[in-house]
Amino acid sequence: MTVALAHRIDGPEDAGAPTLVLIGSLGSDLTMWEPQYTALSGEFRVISADLRGHGGSPVPAGPYTVDALAEDVLGLIAARGGPVHLAGLSLGGAVAQRVAVRAPTRLLSLTLLCTAARFGDPQPWLDRATAVRKDGTGSIAASVVDRWYTPRLAASAPELVARSRTMVSATSDEGYAACCEAISAWDGRADLPRIAVHTLVIAGAQDSATGPDALRAIADAVPGAALEVLDPGAHLANVEQADAVNALITSHVHRSGTGGTR
């Protein structure tokens, strides 16, 4: 069953403004996009959303699938009026890939950040789901956030690290675990050549979760996709390299215009 996603809208309400939808990572809420909705809302209508099981969105019983998460996002797009420019990071990037395959006419452009078409072997994700259901998201918050930022940024911004750990800890145990199960079953590699929307792929050079090779594999398989590698940059490159990410998304949206699919 599709759920209505919690979201916020920033920027102009006029029909002529491009709409940019932002979908975030496992263990985050929509505030992870603050560097984007603060900077880009002067020009774009920015809709940032919480995935099911995260932030203010409903927490239906698991397990979840990437298809179900994609249906939720498609419901949001339909409710707000499409087509839109869609950007997703990590789990949000997998969901965005699925949206692009299932409903290409709903999209004008696609931006995939720090994500993968397959997130490694399933068992570690299933083990993490079990651990979170037993001990809570707080038990893994520190190790998760350690992958989000480079050591240099983490050392210089302890308040950012603290806020990020609080964000992970505040995520519903069941929502987080069920999304781990969705990741464990996700394999979108065969569908990448079917993505027909203008696609930008962004990697963080120091991302230990979904490194440049994972993003290069996506860019190589999606027809016409462009790849950018940001250095320094770990898993939340949209935070660490906010200015660069904002500039890349802005340029990509403008180049894509209203053309959408190729």
Side-chain angles (χ1 to χ4, degrees), residues 178-228:
C179 281
C180 286
E181 291 165 341
I183 290 171
S184 75
W186 161 249
D187 189 345
R189 291 174 293 181
D191 286 329
L192 292 175
R194 297 174 55 200
I195 294 178
V197 67
H198 299 288
T199 301
L200 170 66
V201 181
I202 301 174
Q206 289 78 37
D207 185 356
S208 62
T210 54
D213 287 348
L215 280 300
R216 188 171 293 108
I218 294 174
D220 287 346
V222 175
L227 172 67
E228 298 284 345

Side-chain angles (χ1 to χ4, degrees), residues 40-161:
L40 299 181
S41 59
E43 182 173 2
F44 305 138
R45 189 181 187 210
V46 182
I47 302 176
S48 41
D50 290 326
L51 290 167
R52 67 164 63 186
H54 288 66
S57 289
V59 188
Y64 303 164
T65 65
V66 170
D67 268 306
L69 300 175
E71 281 295 326
D72 296 341
V73 173
L74 283 168
L76 174 65
I77 292 172
R80 301 308 309 180
V84 303
H85 302 271
L86 178 62
L89 187 149
S90 193
L91 174 57
V95 174
Q97 292 169 56
R98 195 64 189 139
V99 170
V101 170
R102 294 184 58 172
T105 60
R106 296 281 190 174
L107 303 185
L108 296 170
S109 75
L110 179 66
T111 302
L112 303 173
L113 303 95
C114 304
T115 188
R118 181 174 182 265
F119 292 90
D121 294 332
Q123 194 57 50
W125 294 105
L126 297 174
D127 292 344
R128 192 188 298 192
T130 298
V132 165
R133 286 192 174 106
K134 178 177 180 291
D135 298 320
T137 51
S139 67
I140 62 166
S143 61
V144 168
V145 174
D146 282 349
R147 294 188 290 272
W148 280 7
Y149 311 115
T150 61
R152 180 176 180 179
L153 177 62
S156 66
E159 71 289 345
L160 172 65
V161 173

Side-chain angles (χ1 to χ4, degrees), residues 11-20 42-45 83 85 108 253-254 257-258:
E13 289 288 339
D14 63 277
T19 297
L20 172 66
E43 182 173 2
F44 305 138
R45 189 181 187 210
H85 302 271
L108 296 170
V253 167
H254 287 319
T258 59

